[in-house]
Amino acid sequence: MFRTIFLLSIGFFSTNVAAQEQNVFGRVSQKDIDLKVYAKDTTANAVVLYEKGDMKFQYFARQMYLIKTFDFKIKVLKKEGYDVANVEIPMYTYGRNTEEIYDIKGITHNGIQKDTLAEKDIYTLKNNSYWSTKRFTMPNIKPGAILQYSYKIKTPYIYDFEGWRFQSTLPKIHSEFNAKIPGHYYYNKSFYGSLKMDVQETFREDYCMKFADRPDMDCEVLKYIMKDVPAFNDQEKYMLAPSNYIARLDFELATAYWWDGKKKHFTKTWDEVDKKFETYVDVGKQLGKNHFFEKQFTENNLAGSTELETVKNIYDFVRGHFNWTKDYSIYRDVNVKTAFNKKVGNVGEINISLVNMLNAAGIKCRPMLLSTRNHGLLSKDKPAIDDFNYVIALAQLDGKEILLDATEKKTPFGMLPFRCLNHLGRVLDFEKGSYWHKIIPYAKNSITIRGFANLNPKNNAITGKIAEISQGYPAIEKHEELSKIEIVEYLDKMANTSVADLYFNNYKKNKDKSSEKVLSETYEFVIKDVLVDGKIYLDPILVKWLESSPFKSNQRNFPIDFGHPFSREYQMNIKIPKGYKIMSLPQEKSMILPGGVGSLDLGCKALGELIQFRFKLAISQSYFEVSAYDHLKEFFAEVVDNQNNTFIVLKKI
């Protein structure tokens, strides 16, 4: 069962035993009341003063239940932090088994004034046949308010033992998780993130659970505490799913021991996971529709003179035949024949149809499961079906393996959509055994701009022409953008991120030089009001790539992932008008990242009547460990500074 629980984006809440007396429900300390700014994060709109989660097992009516108790206390520091008052608690129901949320209490403290959460302000919203949500909003919220609330959950789903998020988008002064697990259940524990525990204790409690009709149980008692937890900035640039890096504790039921001495293992091996996929109606059972897809292959005359041409024909056909619903579904509602006839499908239906048709044509092809960038990284050491949320096709051709995704109309052959660039996938081979496959991104991703500028003092303007060539993922992005907006809007958007009084016009897309992986464009420009006190000021970089540095945090605790290598190259030749001389040119600049994996090159020189300006940025790898952050931060600060503060000044003789 796959379940995700969001509580104010800050997970569950906890505290420690030593702090319990200071955090009795209904009381707040003078220290908490006096807190105006959180010194360790002065930008924080709110701070979690205290949070605690207790997990215990209880036996009712011959069934084991898990009782979860949550307590927390939050200080609102600014108006922008008011959203912490909105609470949503999900409940799951399957058949006769349902979760129960009860004993909800809430108090808002404003100095000595207390406002209690009313029962009438707590309501339940039914989302679908499986999920409902308890909702309430804490009363009388204002800057300085302290919110206290608590609740309990009784759940029969003991196999789905929820973990704990120590880190969230809010800073936390104290976060604690406690659990008392009967000896009949053994859970694997996994800790994620780079932060360290302040307290980590495990001990045994004898006879913690007593039964009238069964032997008593011993328990494993857990206590985890983390203090002064920094907020996790989920808006950081070039980051994969925050769940990969946020400090959290996860549990997975490995083994259950029954009273009769029998035991059951729940931890799966990859072979067991593969067998599950083979028998899934929505995965394995959708493969092998040979007769249906052989018919489509023949009727649409997709055979080529070579195997490569045949693969391209089939890819183009499937890509053009289907309209993608934007649904990533691979576990439910996958029916390739129905989707093919309707010409509409989800990810599973489209790409499994691609696999089927390639196999029908005699091309060996297998489905490859993966996790998208915003879903989470896969772990070879943790066999789990729910870690996958996407499927593509892997075709074997002349000893090479080609990854294909036919969901997007504008994704070129041999390239995956950006969302799929998440390092690793698992190829399902039900005959010889499934295996892992690296996802290596397309390497030639560049934007190259070459321009010529003519300075015209009489008209107080600069005019010129630009030729721009985009390759790889930048070309795909631009093709997609141009299909959705008018050229005038496209040029205005580009001009608004560049120098003042700049106008682009006479745009042309050079179709003979363009393809799915390449976009060739030419356009002209005019810069008005360039004369100031008899001098001409020109910012030679008319097309900006970065408005500001993507790396601003003082510290980063997770890797940098660009998705793919890239380069940006800009050249501008500027004709010096008669009667003018050069007063100043940009200084040359060269910078190289350690290991030569990135470079910045800026140069400007005068050659007769021309000024030649060049600016080049290149990043040759897509992934950087945390240790590279300081170098990247310095590097991109220099890139932005040179992009935005580079001027050529001419003076009338």
Side-chain angles (χ1 to χ4, degrees), residues 9 41 50 69 77 140 173 180 229 271 310 353 377 395 398 469 487 537 551 638:
S9 302
D41 185 351
Y50 162 89
T69 303
L77 301 172
N140 197 18
I173 294 176
K180 187 178 287 188
V229 186
D271 285 342
T310 298
S353 292
L377 288 166
D398 299 328
I469 297 178
I487 294 300
Y537 291 85
F551 306 117
E638 194 69 37

mmCIF file of all heavy atoms in Angstrom, residues 9 41 50 69 77 140 173 180 229 271 310 353 377 395 398 469 487 537 551 638:
data_model
loop_
_atom_site.group_PDB
_atom_site.id
_atom_site.type_symbol
_atom_site.label_atom_id
_atom_site.label_comp_id
_atom_site.label_asym_id
_atom_site.label_seq_id
_atom_site.Cartn_x
_atom_site.Cartn_y
_atom_site.Cartn_z
ATOM 1 N N SER A 9 2.809 20.609 5.434
ATOM 2 C CA SER A 9 4.129 20.486 4.837
ATOM 3 C C SER A 9 5.217 20.306 5.884
ATOM 4 O O SER A 9 6.387 20.481 5.607
ATOM 5 C CB SER A 9 4.473 21.710 3.974
ATOM 6 O OG SER A 9 3.530 21.886 2.974
ATOM 7 N N ASP A 41 17.170 31.586 12.280
ATOM 8 C CA ASP A 41 16.620 31.767 10.932
ATOM 9 C C ASP A 41 15.733 33.004 10.959
ATOM 10 O O ASP A 41 14.519 32.917 11.139
ATOM 11 C CB ASP A 41 15.830 30.535 10.490
ATOM 12 C CG ASP A 41 15.354 30.631 9.042
ATOM 13 O OD1 ASP A 41 15.500 31.723 8.445
ATOM 14 O OD2 ASP A 41 14.830 29.635 8.518
ATOM 15 N N TYR A 50 8.033 22.989 19.223
ATOM 16 C CA TYR A 50 8.033 21.659 19.842
ATOM 17 C C TYR A 50 7.102 20.756 19.030
ATOM 18 O O TYR A 50 6.029 21.185 18.621
ATOM 19 C CB TYR A 50 7.520 21.838 21.280
ATOM 20 C CG TYR A 50 7.022 20.622 21.995
ATOM 21 C CD1 TYR A 50 7.882 19.834 22.731
ATOM 22 C CD2 TYR A 50 5.669 20.294 21.975
ATOM 23 C CE1 TYR A 50 7.409 18.732 23.431
ATOM 24 C CE2 TYR A 50 5.192 19.195 22.671
ATOM 25 C CZ TYR A 50 6.069 18.414 23.394
ATOM 26 O OH TYR A 50 5.600 17.333 24.079
ATOM 27 N N THR A 69 -0.237 9.223 18.429
ATOM 28 C CA THR A 69 -0.574 10.441 19.155
ATOM 29 C C THR A 69 0.372 11.556 18.731
ATOM 30 O O THR A 69 1.600 11.371 18.754
ATOM 31 C CB THR A 69 -0.464 10.220 20.674
ATOM 32 O OG1 THR A 69 -1.308 9.146 21.057
ATOM 33 C CG2 THR A 69 -0.880 11.481 21.433
ATOM 34 N N LEU A 77 5.319 34.094 13.476
ATOM 35 C CA LEU A 77 6.176 35.270 13.602
ATOM 36 C C LEU A 77 5.748 36.413 12.692
ATOM 37 O O LEU A 77 5.936 37.579 13.025
ATOM 38 C CB LEU A 77 7.632 34.885 13.294
ATOM 39 C CG LEU A 77 8.233 33.794 14.200
ATOM 40 C CD1 LEU A 77 9.586 33.366 13.674
ATOM 41 C CD2 LEU A 77 8.354 34.300 15.629
ATOM 42 N N ASN A 140 -8.201 32.817 15.729
ATOM 43 C CA ASN A 140 -7.575 34.074 16.164
ATOM 44 C C ASN A 140 -6.065 34.109 15.910
ATOM 45 O O ASN A 140 -5.265 34.306 16.825
ATOM 46 C CB ASN A 140 -7.864 34.315 17.654
ATOM 47 C CG ASN A 140 -7.613 35.767 18.041
ATOM 48 O OD1 ASN A 140 -7.546 36.659 17.197
ATOM 49 N ND2 ASN A 140 -7.457 36.018 19.334
ATOM 50 N N ILE A 173 12.682 23.891 16.630
ATOM 51 C CA ILE A 173 13.564 23.927 17.792
ATOM 52 C C ILE A 173 13.717 22.533 18.399
ATOM 53 O O ILE A 173 14.801 22.164 18.846
ATOM 54 C CB ILE A 173 13.030 24.932 18.828
ATOM 55 C CG1 ILE A 173 13.114 26.366 18.246
ATOM 56 C CG2 ILE A 173 13.817 24.846 20.137
ATOM 57 C CD1 ILE A 173 12.526 27.435 19.136
ATOM 58 N N LYS A 180 6.880 2.325 20.412
ATOM 59 C CA LYS A 180 6.964 1.108 21.221
ATOM 60 C C LYS A 180 6.416 -0.018 20.360
ATOM 61 O O LYS A 180 5.206 -0.102 20.115
ATOM 62 C CB LYS A 180 6.175 1.267 22.508
ATOM 63 C CG LYS A 180 6.352 0.110 23.484
ATOM 64 C CD LYS A 180 5.580 0.354 24.776
ATOM 65 C CE LYS A 180 6.261 1.429 25.620
ATOM 66 N NZ LYS A 180 5.623 1.532 26.968
ATOM 67 N N VAL A 229 16.509 22.172 14.126
ATOM 68 C CA VAL A 229 16.460 21.629 12.768
ATOM 69 C C VAL A 229 16.247 22.776 11.779
ATOM 70 O O VAL A 229 15.245 23.500 11.873
ATOM 71 C CB VAL A 229 15.313 20.609 12.628
ATOM 72 C CG1 VAL A 229 15.374 19.939 11.264
ATOM 73 C CG2 VAL A 229 15.373 19.577 13.741
ATOM 74 N N ASP A 271 13.679 -10.045 -7.330
ATOM 75 C CA ASP A 271 13.041 -11.115 -8.114
ATOM 76 C C ASP A 271 11.545 -11.182 -7.815
ATOM 77 O O ASP A 271 10.721 -11.380 -8.721
ATOM 78 C CB ASP A 271 13.692 -12.465 -7.791
ATOM 79 C CG ASP A 271 15.063 -12.612 -8.430
ATOM 80 O OD1 ASP A 271 15.347 -11.849 -9.380
ATOM 81 O OD2 ASP A 271 15.844 -13.470 -7.976
ATOM 82 N N THR A 310 13.041 1.151 -39.206
ATOM 83 C CA THR A 310 11.798 0.564 -38.714
ATOM 84 C C THR A 310 11.474 1.072 -37.313
ATOM 85 O O THR A 310 10.328 1.430 -37.015
ATOM 86 C CB THR A 310 11.906 -0.973 -38.689
ATOM 87 O OG1 THR A 310 12.113 -1.451 -40.021
ATOM 88 C CG2 THR A 310 10.640 -1.609 -38.123
ATOM 89 N N SER A 353 2.387 0.124 -25.441
ATOM 90 C CA SER A 353 2.009 -0.076 -26.852
ATOM 91 C C SER A 353 3.230 0.025 -27.747
ATOM 92 O O SER A 353 3.389 -0.756 -28.703
ATOM 93 C CB SER A 353 0.970 0.972 -27.275
ATOM 94 O OG SER A 353 -0.259 0.774 -26.614
ATOM 95 N N LEU A 377 14.382 9.249 -5.897
ATOM 96 C CA LEU A 377 15.432 8.403 -6.442
ATOM 97 C C LEU A 377 15.152 6.937 -6.135
ATOM 98 O O LEU A 377 14.609 6.595 -5.085
ATOM 99 C CB LEU A 377 16.784 8.799 -5.850
ATOM 100 C CG LEU A 377 17.374 10.121 -6.342
ATOM 101 C CD1 LEU A 377 18.530 10.545 -5.440
ATOM 102 C CD2 LEU A 377 17.845 9.994 -7.785
ATOM 103 N N ALA A 395 14.750 -0.327 -26.459
ATOM 104 C CA ALA A 395 14.891 -1.136 -27.673
ATOM 105 C C ALA A 395 16.358 -1.513 -27.866
ATOM 106 O O ALA A 395 17.254 -0.693 -27.658
ATOM 107 C CB ALA A 395 14.384 -0.362 -28.886
ATOM 108 N N ASP A 398 21.403 -3.422 -32.924
ATOM 109 C CA ASP A 398 22.816 -3.480 -33.309
ATOM 110 C C ASP A 398 23.741 -3.365 -32.101
ATOM 111 O O ASP A 398 24.755 -2.645 -32.120
ATOM 112 C CB ASP A 398 23.148 -2.371 -34.321
ATOM 113 C CG ASP A 398 22.359 -2.496 -35.601
ATOM 114 O OD1 ASP A 398 22.054 -3.644 -35.992
ATOM 115 O OD2 ASP A 398 22.030 -1.459 -36.207
ATOM 116 N N ILE A 469 21.085 29.515 -32.509
ATOM 117 C CA ILE A 469 20.891 28.083 -32.738
ATOM 118 C C ILE A 469 20.813 27.380 -31.389
ATOM 119 O O ILE A 469 21.728 27.480 -30.572
ATOM 120 C CB ILE A 469 22.031 27.479 -33.579
ATOM 121 C CG1 ILE A 469 22.060 28.120 -34.970
ATOM 122 C CG2 ILE A 469 21.855 25.967 -33.705
ATOM 123 C CD1 ILE A 469 23.185 27.622 -35.848
ATOM 124 N N ILE A 487 4.491 34.928 -31.970
ATOM 125 C CA ILE A 487 5.868 35.397 -32.101
ATOM 126 C C ILE A 487 6.072 36.739 -31.390
ATOM 127 O O ILE A 487 7.104 36.961 -30.742
ATOM 128 C CB ILE A 487 6.259 35.524 -33.593
ATOM 129 C CG1 ILE A 487 6.279 34.142 -34.251
ATOM 130 C CG2 ILE A 487 7.620 36.193 -33.733
ATOM 131 C CD1 ILE A 487 7.244 33.170 -33.640
ATOM 132 N N TYR A 537 26.636 53.983 -24.555
ATOM 133 C CA TYR A 537 26.769 52.868 -23.614
ATOM 134 C C TYR A 537 26.055 51.647 -24.197
ATOM 135 O O TYR A 537 24.886 51.723 -24.560
ATOM 136 C CB TYR A 537 26.136 53.220 -22.264
ATOM 137 C CG TYR A 537 26.884 54.290 -21.503
ATOM 138 C CD1 TYR A 537 26.643 55.638 -21.742
ATOM 139 C CD2 TYR A 537 27.839 53.955 -20.542
ATOM 140 C CE1 TYR A 537 27.328 56.628 -21.052
ATOM 141 C CE2 TYR A 537 28.521 54.938 -19.836
ATOM 142 C CZ TYR A 537 28.263 56.271 -20.096
ATOM 143 O OH TYR A 537 28.945 57.237 -19.405
ATOM 144 N N PHE A 551 22.140 29.837 -7.081
ATOM 145 C CA PHE A 551 22.691 29.336 -5.825
ATOM 146 C C PHE A 551 22.943 30.504 -4.873
ATOM 147 O O PHE A 551 23.955 31.192 -4.971
ATOM 148 C CB PHE A 551 23.985 28.562 -6.085
ATOM 149 C CG PHE A 551 23.825 27.465 -7.093
ATOM 150 C CD1 PHE A 551 24.522 27.496 -8.292
ATOM 151 C CD2 PHE A 551 22.958 26.408 -6.862
ATOM 152 C CE1 PHE A 551 24.370 26.490 -9.224
ATOM 153 C CE2 PHE A 551 22.798 25.394 -7.794
ATOM 154 C CZ PHE A 551 23.505 25.430 -8.988
ATOM 155 N N GLU A 638 29.805 34.680 -10.414
ATOM 156 C CA GLU A 638 30.682 35.347 -11.380
ATOM 157 C C GLU A 638 30.024 35.388 -12.760
ATOM 158 O O GLU A 638 30.110 36.401 -13.476
ATOM 159 C CB GLU A 638 32.015 34.599 -11.457
ATOM 160 C CG GLU A 638 33.129 35.359 -12.148
ATOM 161 C CD GLU A 638 33.608 36.558 -11.361
ATOM 162 O OE1 GLU A 638 33.661 36.483 -10.123
ATOM 163 O OE2 GLU A 638 33.912 37.593 -11.999
#
